[in-house]
Amino acid sequence: MEKAMFFSVIVPVYNREDEVRELLASLAAQTSHDFEVVITEDGSSLPCRGVVEEYAARGLDVKYFYKENEGRSIARNHSMERARGDYFVFFDSDCVIPPDYFEKLGRMLAERPLDCFGGPDAADESFSTTQKAINHAMTSFLTTGGIRGGKVSLEKFTPRTFNMGYSRRVWERVGGFREMFSEDIDMSTRVRHAGFSIGLYPDLPVYHKRRVDFRKFFRQVYVFGMSRITLKLLYPDSLKAVHCLPALFVVGVAVMLAMALAVSPWWLLPLGVYLLAIFVSALVSTRSAVIAAKAVPASLIQLGGYGCGFLKAWFLKIVLGRGRDEAEEVALRKGK
């Protein structure tokens, strides 16, 4: 009889008590319990120890550790060093896990074994309309090319830590996460370079809340854009055409606005058609005119924020040749 796999759920936490409560509630409701939860609190001023102890008393196999603030990657590594699982499964604290997640994961690994895997994210019915609009902007083929776990993608799938896992054997050879932005992409690249298998389980989603307002969302995607250039400096062949599209979008919109002011408003027609396509796509997928309407500014923020961050980092680090700054170098030395 084949030995059942045991999973260690790895969650770094920083001042997210309410999110941890929802995450643990969803883990306690799993139909399969072949897992432990290992939470490392990264120097929070509002610790979640009480919430963890509450769910431990209810029977959830959960362990809690507190350490000084060093960053989410170091917190993940701290948890892995104390975990018992055959596989490490990574969630962000703002995730809610469908009740059959681990039941399906065990079955999928048995049917199609992978050294490193990931799944898509989705919006739960309980999410606000803004959260659902942001989710659409981050997962739509029209905005990200499907690179965040879609079934159709312009790039080879790269697992991300809101829904990602790899075997203990991978950890023993590749090591832990580097403390840097886009550390999950860096990790996936290192895993692939080490010769391990990586793949998408498209029917293994999590409900990912992401940012709850557009201002925070802009800051998040702006950092994503900047970190893409850092990844290029680490892995020169990692930059693909799809990663440049938001920057081209920003430049294109700037040109269209300038020409509309100087020549004719008709220069804005391509932008209008594209935004209409986003609205229709969101309307079809969400069946909500409110979410579809909010998906338009969410998509503009996703593309504009990422594109602006990408262009700034490209100019500073590629054109001016500054490379990674001192803070990034210190962070990278903390990883393997």
Side-chain angles (χ1 to χ4, degrees):
M1 184 176 179
E2 187 175 342
K3 176 182 177 292
M5 285 168 283
F6 186 71
F7 304 100
S8 290
V9 176
I10 308 297
V11 185
V13 177
Y14 182 74
N15 289 338
R16 293 290 187 270
E17 182 180 13
D18 290 342
E19 290 180 354
V20 170
R21 183 180 297 278
E22 289 187 88
L23 172 61
L24 293 183
S26 67
L27 290 171
Q30 292 293 303
T31 56
S32 172
H33 292 275
D34 290 333
F35 64 89
E36 64 174 353
V37 184
V38 187
I39 290 178
T40 292
E41 188 111 49
D42 188 39
S44 299
S45 58
L46 300 172
C48 65
R49 180 189 293 273
V51 175
V52 174
E53 291 176 348
E54 174 187 333
Y55 277 90
R58 296 183 185 182
L60 183 65
D61 185 354
V62 54
K63 300 176 180 64
Y64 174 87
F65 302 96
Y66 186 96
K67 59 180 290 301
E68 65 179 21
N69 180 253
E70 294 181 281
R72 59 181 178 266
S73 291
I74 307 304
R76 288 191 188 100
N77 296 342
H78 186 274
S79 290
M80 284 189 286
E81 291 166 1
R82 291 154 179 80
R84 299 178 289 128
D86 305 306
Y87 274 81
F88 302 120
V89 179
F90 305 97
F91 299 135
D92 289 342
S93 61
D94 61 349
C95 290
V96 176
I97 315 305
D100 59 351
Y101 183 95
F102 284 96
E103 181 181 344
K104 291 168 66 175
L105 175 58
R107 184 169 64 250
M108 291 173 181
L109 281 169
E111 294 173 352
R112 182 166 71 97
L114 291 170
D115 299 307
C116 178
F117 64 87
D121 59 340
D124 185 62
E125 283 300 316
S126 65
F127 288 7
S128 71
T129 55
T130 299
Q131 287 175 312
K132 291 176 181 178
I134 289 174
N135 179 268
H136 181 83
M138 288 297 288
T139 57
S140 171
F141 184 82
L142 291 175
T143 52
T144 64
I147 64 176
R148 301 187 70 85
K151 297 183 180 181
V152 179
S153 176
L154 295 178
E155 184 202 14
K156 187 179 294 185
F157 173 67
T158 301
R160 288 168 166 81
T161 48
F162 61 79
N163 186 6
M164 173 183 181
Y166 57 69
S167 68
R168 178 172 288 275
R169 190 165 64 98
V170 168
W171 177 62
E172 290 171 349
R173 184 186 304 182
V174 179
F177 290 85
R178 290 167 165 160
E179 185 53 44
M180 58 181 289
F181 292 120
S182 295
E183 72 279 4
D184 44 9
I185 301 176
D186 170 73
M187 172 57 76
S188 296
T189 303
R190 290 159 55 201
V191 170
R192 184 171 277 119
H193 286 179
F196 290 104
S197 59
I198 298 179
L200 166 69
Y201 290 139
D203 297 320
L204 194 71
V206 302
Y207 302 127
H208 193 193
K209 290 185 175 181
R210 302 189 183 279
R211 296 298 181 257
V212 297
D213 62 57
F214 287 153
R215 181 183 62 81
K216 293 178 180 178
F217 180 49
F218 176 86
R219 177 59 186 167
Q220 182 184 47
V221 293
Y222 180 84
V223 170
F224 287 167
M226 293 192 69
S227 65
R228 177 52 67 179
I229 299 301
T230 300
L231 289 166
K232 173 179 168 49
L233 295 174
L234 284 169
Y235 311 104
D237 62 344
S238 66
L239 187 65
K240 308 299 181 184
V242 65
H243 304 135
C244 303
L245 293 178
L248 294 176
F249 175 82
V250 170
V251 173
V253 169
V255 170
M256 282 187 282
L257 289 173
M259 294 302 291
L261 291 172
V263 181
S264 168
W266 284 103
W267 276 89
L268 294 176
L269 181 61
L271 177 61
V273 171
Y274 177 66
L275 296 181
L276 178 61
I278 289 175
F279 175 84
V280 172
S281 172
L283 184 62
V284 170
S285 64
T286 67
R287 299 181 180 180
S288 167
V290 174
I291 298 172
K294 289 187 174 183
V296 174
S299 298
L300 286 173
I301 290 169
Q302 191 275 325
L303 292 166
Y306 188 105
C308 287
F310 182 101
L311 289 169
K312 178 182 178 180
W314 175 79
F315 181 74
L316 292 176
K317 299 180 180 185
I318 305 297
V319 176
L320 297 185
R322 293 183 184 177
R324 297 192 301 269
D325 59 29
E326 182 179 353
E328 286 176 303
E329 293 290 354
V330 171
L332 287 171
R333 285 197 292 271
K334 292 182 179 179
K336 182 172 179 179

